[in-house]
Amino acid sequence: QMCIRDSHKKPRVEYELSGLRTYQFGVGGTVSYYGIGIFASYGVTPLFKKHAGPECHTFSFGISLLM
């Protein structure tokens, strides 16, 4: 956590997540039928840099609606 001060403004707080990777690569897919679909995505690269956190990968899924 860093606190940045300007002379005329109240201090603002910026949070730094230094252990996260800058870039993520992953694979994903979508299946839809008549405007309703499902999607899933898996992160191939680990979420954190080496020795900065646990060895984990991102995974997301959901429903999509075409309007």
Side-chain angles (χ1 to χ4, degrees), residues 30-52:
T30 304
V31 177
S32 61
Y33 184 72
Y34 282 107
I36 299 175
I38 57 172
F39 67 90
S41 176
Y42 175 75
V44 177
T45 55
L47 182 62
F48 297 103
K49 295 176 184 175
K50 278 192 174 188
H51 308 295

Side-chain angles (χ1 to χ4, degrees), residues 16-21 47-50 52-53:
E16 186 177 307
L17 300 173
S18 60
L20 292 177
R21 288 190 182 271
L47 182 62
F48 297 103
K49 295 176 184 175
K50 278 192 174 188

Side-chain angles (χ1 to χ4, degrees), residues 9-28:
K9 298 179 182 178
K10 70 178 193 173
R12 70 173 193 241
V13 177
E14 290 186 3
Y15 295 96
E16 186 177 307
L17 300 173
S18 60
L20 292 177
R21 288 190 182 271
T22 306
Y23 296 100
Q24 296 284 320
F25 297 100
V27 294

Side-chain angles (χ1 to χ4, degrees), residues 1-7 9-15:
Q1 179 178 350
M2 292 187 326
C3 186
I4 299 173
R5 291 187 177 267
D6 290 335
S7 60
K9 298 179 182 178
K10 70 178 193 173
R12 70 173 193 241
V13 177
E14 290 186 3
Y15 295 96

